[in-house]
Amino acid sequence: MKLPFALNPALEHLPVYQPGRPVEEVARELGLPARDVIKLASNENPLGPSPVALAALKKALRNLHQYPDGNAFYLKQKLAAKLQVTLGNLVLGNGSNDIIEFLGHALLGPGDEMIVSQYCFAIYPIVARLLGARVIVVLAKNYGHDLPAMLKAVTVNTKLVFVANPNNPTGTLAPAAEVRRMVDELPENVVLAMDEAYFEFLENPVDLLPLIRAGKKPNLILLRTFSKIYGLAGLRLGYGIAHTEFIAALEKIRQPFNINSLAQSAALAALDDTAHVKKTRQNNFKGRKFLENALEDMDIEFVPSSANFILAKVGVGREVFEKLQRQGIITRPMGGYQLPEWVRISVGTPAENQRCVKALRQILVGSKKRGHQAVKA
């Protein structure tokens, strides 16, 4: 039946974001116990949430009949102290996706342009196109951002530039000098959104916070999240750090009570659990190295990663994804990112990493025996 009313015409060709498949859905489909299915698809923390955060969640359950603090005062206060910024420098979102939408509503409309890199996070262009803006895609360099080329792509119509560093889905890290040049040379009437969802996994990250503390770059906003290193993806909590006047504008777009009380309580506690963060970082470093060594041993090309996942060129990505899934291992096929030969594998626990490598080795050896050539690095 055709709808009797008109829809936003931008919806006609707008793709639907496809997240990693949930464990429960795959278990039902395969007839497996959920405990036998592992998920290495969505770059989640394999160690789970901080035990301190879980304890805070249990305590917060008794107050679910009350609305949350609409301004998340205590969480903002603790975040501000940790980052050495003011409360006015922070805006909270229902995941980083929320902040991305804030930026779209604040800056983009028909005739405006937004610049992204090839292989960028899928949500950036979806938001821009929904608002009628034009998306300028700059070709990637070694699967990562070509920041000098992105600077050259700026026109009088450019309103927003997105740079994810490290980048999702490729895991690439932009050179520090190029990041600083981008920040310094981007016209002040163009906003630079640095998506730093994987910032805490870096050993020596480029620190742009001093520019925001000093109020020197009102066109710069940093996006961070509690979903990755803090292991709170299920509670959906991200935040933006920017000039106070810019944040004040974004607050006008933010919906009331967008951060629920459970997310606020868990995040407050998680910020204090530095031991859990350290343990997560160590697990990620060792696990990523294990996966890299295994892929090299199997002669599989991969993109060197600075995040908590690895992009691997396995042949027909969708086919390998489905074979792994039949063994209860969920990865992420990359056809939707114009990388049909690749799958993205999140770093798991040591046991999960070993299980994934064993299954991948069996699948690729089986392909060779049937006459299919494995991809070489």
Side-chain angles (χ1 to χ4, degrees), residues 276-294:
H276 186 69
V277 169
K278 182 179 179 181
K279 187 177 180 181
T280 298
R281 191 180 288 118
Q282 290 172 341
N283 178 78
N284 186 67
F285 178 80
K286 292 178 182 177
R288 191 173 64 201
K289 191 65 180 173
F290 171 82
L291 291 174
E292 288 174 348
N293 290 339

Side-chain angles (χ1 to χ4, degrees), residues 204-255:
N204 297 296
V206 177
D207 185 7
L208 300 175
L209 275 174
L211 297 174
I212 292 174
R213 293 187 193 112
K216 290 182 177 179
K217 288 291 176 181
N219 66 328
L220 172 65
I221 182 168
L222 310 179
L223 277 60
R224 296 188 185 175
T225 181
F226 282 84
S227 293
K228 306 304 178 185
I229 205 155
Y230 290 107
L232 298 177
L235 290 176
R236 310 304 301 125
L237 178 57
Y239 57 101
I241 317 164
H243 190 280
T244 54
E245 290 186 32
F246 191 16
I247 293 295
L250 298 180
E251 283 287 350
K252 295 180 179 180
I253 300 163
R254 183 180 66 83
Q255 293 298 303

Side-chain angles (χ1 to χ4, degrees), residues 260-330:
N260 68 69
S261 55
L262 297 182
Q264 292 184 40
S265 297
L268 268 167
L271 287 172
D272 288 331
D273 196 348
T274 55
H276 186 69
V277 169
K278 182 179 179 181
K279 187 177 180 181
T280 298
R281 191 180 288 118
Q282 290 172 341
N283 178 78
N284 186 67
F285 178 80
K286 292 178 182 177
R288 191 173 64 201
K289 191 65 180 173
F290 171 82
L291 291 174
E292 288 174 348
N293 290 339
L295 292 171
E296 283 182 354
D297 184 60
M298 287 185 279
D299 210 14
I300 297 174
E301 181 182 351
F302 63 90
V303 178
S305 174
S306 295
N308 64 341
F309 56 85
I310 291 181
L311 194 66
K313 193 174 185 180
V314 293
V316 182
R318 186 78 197 181
E319 181 179 317
V320 172
F321 156 77
E322 289 174 352
K323 288 180 178 179
L324 284 170
Q325 188 172 259
R326 285 198 287 273
Q327 296 193 42
I329 302 166
I330 311 171

